Amino acid sequence: MMAQLSGKSIYLTGGASGIGKAVAEEFIQEGAVITILDKSVDGLNLLKEQFGEAVQCIEGDVTNYEDHEKAVNKAVETYGKLDVFVANAGVFDGFAKFNHVTAEAMSSAYDLLFNINVKGYFNGAKASVDELKKTAGNMIFTVSGSGFYPDGGGVWYTASKHAQIGLMRQLAFELAPDIRVNAVAPGGTLTALNVIPPLQPFVKSVDNETKANSIKLRNPLRIAMSSEDHVAAYTLLASNKSRAITGEVISSDGGLGVRGLS
Ligand SMILES: NC(=O)c1ccc[n+]([C@@H]2O[C@H](COP(=O)([O-])OP(=O)(O)OC[C@H]3O[C@@H](n4cnc5c(N)ncnc54)[C@H](O)[C@@H]3O)[C@@H](O)[C@H]2O)c1
């Protein structure tokens, strides 16, 4: 069977771990070459060892616009073009309760989390838009069930995921007919997603088994999802087969939308 992303040049943020890493692996298997921006040097070194020429790694921070520009320039220099931008790097609030957090921590948590989760997506979209226009390319945002429902995180994470969906929809409107913009909304997934420092004192740490059980109980399909469970949705949106889809979110969450009251 012909690879679905043959020859595509993809720029992905947060590819050194978790969902981003699984997406990178799948995209490479489907024939793509990838440029990854991440702040984890160790994670990036492992990626390079694993994927060699199919991947190029840029160490940087999604909150700096210049780091995205560097990544896009490198993708175009090395692979000749850019077809897809995947905005994925993110951080978590650990379900910290608004009422329990001091005003000072509330404010620094807002600045830190919104800068990464929301401004990071604005920055990547802006840096890649001109190159994506040349290839009639597309953008994919990793959002979350928290972009629709409460109790997938605390107020910081939930509000940031709603904001990402707003950004995705407005961009899909403004960038049509040249560029498609869509999102994937994973449900709770077993990854190393970090709780930001200002909220750590207000959050209980949980072991992986407790986390897996809690994720299972929240979705009707009773799945403790792994990163690999979501990759098919990204491949569909990145490929030419989805040329009629824009402004949409594919939920990959074990059925959060049909969980009812039980
Ligand atoms: N794990 C879940 O339950 C879950 C559920 C729904 C959505 N998501 C979303 O999936 C995305 C990926 O998260 P994950 O769960 O794979 O976590 P992860 O921690 O395994 O991966 C996140 C990656 O982003 C990188 N990163 C974080 N901040 C960065 C910054 N400022 N600059 C550059 N790189 C940075 C990290 O180094 C890491 O490699 C996030 O947008 C997250 O909100 C996660």
Side-chain angles (χ1 to χ4, degrees):
M1 210 172 74
M2 169 98 173
Q4 297 187 68
L5 304 176
S6 195
K8 289 208 186 281
S9 163
I10 292 173
Y11 167 39
L12 164 73
T13 66
S17 170
I19 295 169
K21 187 170 185 184
V23 170
E25 192 161 358
E26 176 77 0
F27 279 8
I28 289 167
Q29 266 168 25
E30 289 295 340
V33 284
I34 317 228
T35 305
I36 290 178
L37 175 69
D38 203 291
K39 63 174 194 187
S40 163
V41 181
D42 290 349
L44 290 175
N45 287 340
L46 280 174
L47 275 177
K48 194 69 199 158
E49 260 173 45
Q50 202 176 342
F51 299 115
E53 296 281 292
V55 74
Q56 57 182 347
C57 298
I58 316 282
E59 182 202 343
D61 190 317
V62 292
T63 64
N64 293 331
Y65 181 72
E66 294 70 29
D67 290 347
H68 293 273
E69 262 188 333
K70 195 167 141 194
V72 169
N73 289 340
K74 197 93 172 84
V76 174
E77 241 172 67
T78 313
Y79 303 126
K81 60 174 180 159
L82 186 70
D83 297 292
V84 182
F85 165 55
V86 184
N88 170 77
V91 287
F92 195 43
D93 61 13
F95 292 96
K97 292 283 173 244
F98 185 70
N99 225 8
H100 296 166
V101 170
T102 59
E104 197 188 356
M106 186 270 293
S107 177
S108 45
Y110 174 91
D111 291 343
L112 192 53
L113 191 140
F114 269 71
N115 228 359
I116 296 172
N117 287 10
V118 184
K119 193 174 178 196
Y121 283 28
F122 270 76
N123 281 342
K126 186 72 181 160
S128 54
V129 69
D130 289 347
E131 290 301 327
L132 293 177
K133 191 166 176 188
K134 293 181 193 163
T135 57
N138 70 84
M139 300 186 191
I140 305 169
F141 291 179
T142 299
V143 296
S144 165
S146 309
F148 298 100
Y149 317 110
D151 205 25
V155 288
W156 299 267
Y157 189 71
T158 302
S160 78
K161 290 292 168 182
H162 278 65
Q164 291 174 346
I165 292 178
L167 173 65
M168 181 279 288
R169 288 204 173 114
Q170 182 66 24
L171 284 179
F173 166 71
E174 289 189 24
L175 301 180
D178 302 310
I179 299 169
R180 298 185 295 112
V181 189
N182 292 291
V184 177
T189 306
L190 295 165
T191 68
L193 188 62
N194 279 317
V195 176
I196 50 170
L199 294 176
Q200 283 169 4
F202 307 96
V203 166
K204 266 194 286 184
S205 72
V206 282
D207 60 63
N208 270 349
E209 200 185 333
T210 312
K211 195 173 162 191
N213 283 333
S214 142
I215 292 173
K216 266 191 202 171
L217 287 175
R218 281 161 186 269
N219 67 78
L221 293 180
R222 297 286 183 257
I223 309 174
M225 284 163 271
S226 68
S227 298
E228 290 70 23
D229 287 316
H230 310 304
V231 298
Y234 289 85
T235 304
L236 171 68
L237 291 174
S239 80
N240 299 341
K241 285 188 178 167
S242 59
R243 75 179 196 108
I245 304 178
T246 197
E248 287 297 328
V249 184
I250 298 182
S251 290
S252 176
D253 61 10
L256 291 180
V258 292
R259 70 181 155 177
L261 294 173
S262 59

